[in-house]
Amino acid sequence: MDLIESIHDIPVQNPSVEDFSAADLKWIKFGTPEHHDDVALIPYARVEEFIVGECSNVECPTRFHIERGRKRSKGSLLEFKSDEYLEYRLYWCSFGPENYGEGGVILPSRRYRLNTRNRAARPQSMRGCTCHFVVKRLYARPSLALVVYNDRRHVNKSGFICHGPLDRDAIGPGAKKIPYVGNEIQQQTMSMIYLGIPEENVLEKHLEGIQRYCGSDVKVNSLASQYVHKLGMIIKRSTHELDLDDQASVRIWADRNKKSIFYHQDSSETEPFILGIQTEWQLQQMLRFGHRSLIAADSTFGIKRLKYPLCTLLVFDSRQHALPVAWIITPSVAKPDISKWMKALLARVRAVDPAWKVNGFLIDDAAAETDPIRETFSCPILFSVWRVRRSWLRHIVKNCRNIEVQREIFKRLGEMVYSIWGGVNPFVVLEKFTQDFVDQTDFMQYFTATWVPKIEMWLTTMKTLPLASQEASGAIEAYHVKLKVKLFDDSHLGALRRVDWLVHKLTTELHSSYWLDRYADESDSFQTVKEEYINSTSWHRALQIPDTDVTLDNGNNLFAKIVSRNDRNHMHLVWNPGSEFAFCDCEWSLRGNLCKHVIKVNTICENLRGFQSSMSFQSYQEILTSMFKKPPDDSLELDLSVAWSHQIHDQIQKLVELNRSTDIGTVVNNLPLKWGNKKNRTLLGRPATVGPSVALTSPSKNINVRKKSRKRKRLSHLR
C-alpha cells in the first residue's frame, strides 16, 4: 500500500449503504515512513452511521464510548496544518480498555469524569479490548472527518479475542451447571462440526457422550444443545486471519497454541521460516504407531501453489493407512534447517518415551537430504516411487490423446525403471524411448524439460535405496489426494498464499477428519465414517475384489480383465499386468492414481510364472545378494555377513507368519521361550543374600536394608 503524506491526496468516501463499517471503506496509509496510520476521509455528517456500523459487527457486537475528547472554536488558530482538528474524539470499544477479568489490569483513577452514558452496562464485563479509533473533524474543512483506526481487532493485549461469539471463555451465566464435557467428547463434537455434519446429528452424538457421566433430563439436554450451538457458531465464525500481516498472524497463532508446536522460527535476513505443528493427539499416534515401525514423508506438497511447501510426516496405523503425525511448513530444504526441526521433533517424542525408536524412514523425493534423517533417527531409509509414477501417468493422459499411445509410453517408462535390476543400461533404454516417441511433442517437451536433466539422480536413488511396497505407496498417495481435496478447493483459491490459512485448515478440518476416522474405527461407531475410512486406500479396495473377477490374457500376458464392482456388465482393462507401471482404463487411474485394479492384478501375478517380480522385491533381492557376496578371503567378515543375513531372514519370516495367521495364539505358542531373572525370595523380612561384590562396594546400603527389615519384623510381632 502506497504511503500518502498530504491529506489533500486522500479521496472522500461516502458509501451508499445506510450504516457502514470499516469493511466498507478503503483504508490508506497516511503519515511519514517513520510514523503512519490507517485513515479514511468521510463526511462529518455520517460519523454516527459509521459508529453504528462498527457496533453491529457480527463477530464482535459491541458499543463504542468516548474515551477522550477535545474541541477548538473556529478561528482560534492563526496558523494550522491540513490535518488539524476542530473536534477530536477517541472512541474505544466498551469492553475496554480496563480488564476486570482474570489477570486483568484496571486503569488508575482519572482526574476528570468520563462520559459513561454509552459505556458497558457493568464494569465487570470489561475485558481489556484494544479496539479503538479516532475521529477528527478537520479545522480547514469542517464538513469532513478523518477517521484514524488504531486497532481494528477486538482482542486484549495478549492477542486473544476477549468478547463476542468467538470468545471461547464467554460461556455466560450458569457455566458451573453445564454437564461435564471431556476432551474426547469435545473433540468428537468439534470434528463433526468441522466436517459439515448437521447440527441435529452432532447434538445426538454429543448427548450420548455426556449421558455417560450424568443422567438425562430436560435441563441437561437444554444446556447440551446450547453448548453445541455455541461451539458451532464459534467454529463457523472463526477466521484464520488473526492479523492483516500474514507473518504477524502466524506469530499470534503460535503464541496461542504452544502445545501444538514443536518448532517455530520466524523468517529473517539470515534464517528461513520454519513452523513444525504436532497436536497432542498426533504425538500419541506417533508414539503408538511409529515405535519400531516406519515413518513416511510426503515432502513437497504445494510447492507451486502455496506460499511455502508443506511436508507431512506419516505413520501407518493398525490398518496400514497413512496417518499424519506432524506438519512442517518451510521453504528451506537445507541440511541445517532440516536437522533443526527433526531433532526438535525427536526430542519431544523422547521426552515422553525415551525408548522410542524408528525402524525405517520412507522418502518420496530423490533430491531429499538423507544425512539429517540418518543422524537424527539412526534408521534405514527407503524410497517410494509413487510420486514418479503419478507424475508420469498424469502428464501422459493429459498430453497424449490416443489411449494406445498412453499405454505404450507408460509401459516403456516402466521398462526403463525395471532395467536397473535387469543388467541393461537404463540410459540406452531412455535414448530409444525418446527416439520412438519423438512425434508426441507435448509430452516429450514436458519429459525432456522436467525429467531428463535429473533422471540419473532418480534412477540412482532407486538403485541405491530399498524400495517401498505398493501398499505403502498407495497409503501415502491416499493421504496426498485427501490433502489436495481439502486444501485446493475452489472457495479457498484467494487464501493459498497465506500461511495462517494453511495452518488453520490443517489443525481444524484435516486434523478433525483423521481424528474422527480413528475414533470411528476403534469405538465401532459412525459406521459410514468407518467404512469410508477402511476403503480410503486402493490396497484395501483391491482386497474386496474376488479372484474370480480377474481374467488374464492366455497369450502373451499383455492385459488382464476385471469385472467392475459397480456395473457387472462392464470390464476394466489393465495393460502390462504384473508391473507397477500397469495401465488401467478406469477413471481413478486416468487421474494419475494407483487404482485397485492394478494392485489386484499385480497381487495375482506375483504367484504366477511368466511375470516379473515387483520393484520392491527386486530391490530387496539385490540387497540380500550384495550381503551374501563372499569377501576376498575366508575371514570374520564372512561370518558377520552370514549372521546379519540370517537375522534379517528370521525377522522377515516371523513377520510374514504373523500377517498371514488368523489365530494369534498359534503364533505366540510357537515363539521361543525367554527366561527372565527371578528375584530372590525373602523369609520373615530377612533380606535376600547379597553377593560379595555388592557387600564390599556398598556396606552402608546393606546395613540400612537390614535395619528396615528388623523394624518390619518387630511391627509384625506387635500385631
Side-chain angles (χ1 to χ4, degrees):
M1 188 182 297
D2 296 334
L3 185 66
I4 295 179
E5 298 184 3
S6 175
I7 200 170
H8 298 288
D9 297 333
I10 302 176
V12 180
Q13 303 180 60
N14 191 7
S16 58
V17 293
E18 183 177 355
D19 297 328
F20 61 98
S21 63
D24 301 316
L25 299 175
K26 181 180 179 181
W27 296 91
I28 299 170
K29 298 288 185 183
F30 172 67
T32 62
E34 293 78 16
H35 178 73
H36 51 268
D37 299 303
D38 291 340
V39 302
L41 202 58
I42 64 174
Y44 178 75
R46 302 203 64 186
V47 170
E48 290 296 329
E49 298 174 12
F50 171 74
I51 296 174
V52 171
E54 282 297 284
C55 293
S56 304
N57 189 341
V58 178
E59 295 181 354
C60 298
T62 183
R63 287 180 295 176
F64 283 87
H65 66 270
I66 301 175
E67 182 72 13
R68 192 177 299 116
R70 305 189 191 99
K71 285 185 178 182
R72 286 193 179 109
S73 58
K74 188 67 175 174
S76 59
L77 296 178
L78 299 178
E79 296 180 0
F80 52 86
K81 298 179 182 178
S82 59
D83 61 339
E84 287 288 356
Y85 64 86
L86 186 63
E87 292 181 8
Y88 173 96
R89 286 183 177 180
L90 171 61
Y91 289 88
W92 208 292
C93 172
S94 292
F95 289 90
E98 294 97 332
N99 188 355
Y100 286 84
E102 184 178 354
V105 178
I106 302 174
L107 297 180
S109 301
R110 307 167 200 250
R111 298 180 180 178
Y112 53 90
R113 182 179 179 274
L114 292 175
N115 179 12
T116 59
R117 287 180 299 171
N118 57 348
R119 290 181 67 107
R122 293 175 295 174
Q124 290 77 10
S125 65
M126 294 186 186
R127 290 295 177 263
C129 184
T130 60
C131 179
H132 63 284
F133 59 88
V134 172
V135 176
K136 288 184 179 181
R137 187 178 184 182
L138 297 180
Y139 189 90
R141 293 187 286 177
S143 61
L144 299 180
L146 183 69
V147 182
V148 183
Y149 226 129
N150 302 103
D151 197 337
R152 284 188 238 174
R153 294 158 43 237
H154 291 268
V155 297
N156 54 25
K157 291 184 178 180
S158 300
F160 296 96
I161 296 177
C162 52
H163 63 91
L166 300 182
D167 181 14
R168 297 178 182 270
D169 297 328
I171 53 181
K176 297 180 180 179
K177 301 176 183 178
I178 290 181
Y180 172 74
V181 179
N183 292 334
E184 182 180 288
I185 301 175
Q186 183 180 12
Q187 184 63 55
Q188 171 188 306
T189 306
M190 290 174 61
S191 300
M192 295 177 70
I193 295 173
Y194 277 123
L195 297 179
I197 299 175
E199 187 174 315
E200 296 79 13
N201 300 342
V202 177
L203 178 59
E204 180 183 353
K205 290 294 181 181
H206 182 78
L207 286 173
E208 292 178 4
I210 65 175
Q211 285 172 5
R212 296 199 301 262
Y213 302 97
C214 60
S216 176
D217 55 37
V218 178
K219 190 170 185 179
V220 169
N221 295 347
S222 175
L223 292 173
S225 177
Q226 294 176 21
Y227 176 84
V228 172
H229 180 70
K230 187 202 166 188
L231 192 61
M233 262 197 338
I234 291 174
I235 291 175
K236 290 175 184 177
R237 294 178 179 178
S238 62
T239 177
H240 63 275
E241 196 170 303
L242 303 178
D243 193 279
L244 297 178
D245 180 62
D246 186 32
Q247 187 173 356
S249 181
V250 174
R251 196 180 300 115
I252 293 173
W253 183 91
D255 292 337
R256 296 182 184 180
N257 300 271
K258 293 181 179 179
K259 291 184 178 180
S260 299
I261 296 176
F262 65 88
Y263 190 81
H264 181 213
Q265 175 179 284
D266 265 334
S267 60
S268 62
E269 296 181 356
T270 57
E271 299 290 346
F273 174 83
I274 303 175
L275 179 63
I277 304 172
Q278 185 185 59
T279 65
E280 294 183 2
W281 179 77
Q282 287 179 310
L283 175 60
Q284 294 171 6
Q285 306 311 306
M286 189 171 183
L287 289 165
R288 177 182 176 186
F289 297 115
H291 182 53
R292 298 291 181 183
S293 186
L294 296 175
I295 287 183
D298 180 12
S299 54
T300 56
F301 181 86
I303 195 169
K304 295 180 180 179
R305 303 179 68 177
L306 297 176
K307 182 177 181 179
Y308 298 137
L310 171 66
C311 175
T312 307
L313 295 189
L314 307 161
V315 295
F316 299 95
D317 61 14
S318 54
R319 294 191 182 273
Q320 307 306 326
H321 290 14
L323 188 67
V325 293
W327 292 298
I328 300 92
I329 305 172
T330 178
S332 175
V333 292
K335 290 182 183 180
D337 298 322
I338 296 176
S339 297
K340 288 178 183 177
W341 63 259
M342 278 193 176
K343 291 178 179 178
L345 178 62
L346 183 62
R348 188 185 195 197
V349 177
R350 291 270 176 87
V352 181
D353 184 5
W356 188 86
K357 182 177 176 57
V358 180
N359 281 357
F361 199 102
L362 202 155
I363 62 174
D364 59 356
D365 186 8
E369 295 288 351
T370 57
D371 290 342
I373 301 175
R374 291 191 174 97
E375 294 171 359
T376 305
F377 294 100
S378 303
C379 66
I381 299 177
L382 292 80
F383 184 75
S384 174
V385 299
W386 78 270
R387 189 179 295 277
V388 183
R389 183 189 186 280
R390 178 182 176 84
S391 179
W392 287 353
L393 182 56
R394 289 184 64 193
H395 284 85
I396 288 172
V397 175
K398 177 182 178 181
N399 297 315
C400 303
R401 303 300 178 188
N402 192 325
I403 191 169
E404 295 181 358
V405 176
Q406 294 174 359
R407 298 168 183 167
E408 188 62 24
I409 290 179
F410 201 49
K411 178 182 177 181
R412 295 283 293 276
L413 288 174
E415 290 176 354
M416 178 184 66
V417 176
Y418 273 89
S419 66
I420 297 174
W421 304 282
V424 182
N425 188 349
F427 296 101
V428 175
V429 181
L430 175 62
E431 183 178 359
K432 191 173 186 307
F433 168 78
T434 54
Q435 293 174 357
D436 292 345
F437 296 98
V438 68
D439 57 332
Q440 300 297 321
T441 310
D442 293 339
F443 176 75
M444 292 309 298
Q445 285 180 352
Y446 154 76
F447 187 78
T448 305
T450 306
W451 287 97
V452 170
K454 57 184 181 181
I455 194 68
E456 182 178 1
M457 176 185 67
W458 284 84
L459 294 178
T460 304
T461 304
M462 296 179 194
K463 175 75 173 177
T464 307
L465 298 178
L467 297 187
S469 62
Q470 288 188 91
E471 183 178 11
S473 299
I476 301 172
E477 186 180 67
Y479 166 78
H480 182 87
V481 172
K482 184 173 182 177
L483 181 63
K484 192 173 182 180
V485 171
K486 289 287 185 183
L487 296 186
F488 293 159
D489 187 9
D490 292 340
S491 61
H492 303 136
L493 295 179
L496 293 178
R497 304 302 295 179
R498 288 186 66 100
V499 178
D500 57 359
W501 169 84
L502 176 60
V503 172
H504 182 76
K505 294 290 287 187
L506 293 175
T507 55
T508 55
E509 293 186 25
L510 193 66
H511 182 274
S512 298
S513 175
Y514 278 98
W515 186 94
L516 194 61
D517 287 343
R518 290 296 309 157
Y519 179 78
D521 186 38
E522 294 181 348
S523 63
D524 198 25
S525 57
F526 302 100
Q527 293 301 318
T528 304
V529 177
K530 180 178 179 180
E531 291 175 4
E532 293 178 356
Y533 159 70
I534 294 174
N535 298 322
S536 60
T537 64
S538 298
W539 181 271
H540 281 263
R541 292 194 293 268
L543 296 177
Q544 299 176 3
I545 302 176
D547 294 349
T548 54
D549 287 356
V550 181
T551 305
L552 295 174
D553 178 26
N554 295 327
N556 300 322
N557 297 329
L558 295 177
F559 62 88
K561 295 181 179 180
I562 300 182
V563 180
S564 174
R565 300 282 291 172
N566 299 327
D567 184 5
R568 304 297 293 178
N569 297 323
H570 181 69
M571 304 282 287
H572 292 291
L573 286 179
V574 178
W575 291 83
N576 192 23
S579 168
E580 271 91 336
F581 292 86
F583 187 94
C584 181
D585 60 0
C586 71
E587 183 181 358
W588 186 248
S589 178
L590 294 179
R591 295 179 187 175
N593 302 306
L594 180 62
C595 71
K596 60 182 179 181
H597 308 110
V598 170
I599 294 178
K600 182 63 180 180
V601 170
N602 290 351
T603 304
I604 294 177
C605 294
E606 283 181 356
N607 302 321
L608 299 178
R609 292 184 178 181
F611 295 95
Q612 57 187 349
S613 303
S614 64
M615 290 193 297
S616 59
F617 181 80
Q618 293 192 39
S619 173
Y620 166 67
Q621 194 174 25
E622 181 80 9
I623 294 173
L624 287 183
T625 303
S626 62
M627 290 181 65
F628 276 113
K629 287 182 179 179
K630 184 179 178 180
D633 55 347
D634 196 12
S635 63
L636 184 62
E637 293 182 1
L638 177 61
D639 299 333
L640 290 174
S641 179
V642 173
W644 288 339
S645 303
H646 178 74
Q647 183 181 9
I648 293 174
H649 179 268
D650 186 50
Q651 291 179 355
I652 294 176
Q653 188 176 10
K654 291 178 181 177
L655 183 61
V656 171
E657 181 183 359
L658 180 62
N659 290 335
R660 292 182 177 178
S661 176
T662 57
D663 185 9
I664 190 65
T666 306
V667 179
V668 174
N669 292 333
N670 294 333
L671 291 176
L673 292 175
K674 288 187 177 181
W675 298 96
N677 294 329
K678 187 176 180 181
K679 293 183 179 180
N680 295 328
R681 300 179 64 181
T682 60
L683 181 63
L684 295 176
R686 184 178 299 172
T689 305
V690 182
S693 59
V694 178
L696 290 173
T697 54
S698 57
S700 60
K701 185 176 181 181
N702 188 25
I703 293 172
N704 292 336
V705 172
R706 186 167 298 177
K707 287 182 179 179
K708 290 181 181 179
S709 301
R710 290 176 179 174
K711 184 176 181 181
R712 287 196 297 269
K713 186 176 179 181
R714 288 195 299 270
L715 289 174
S716 63
H717 283 302
L718 290 174
R719 292 173 186 169

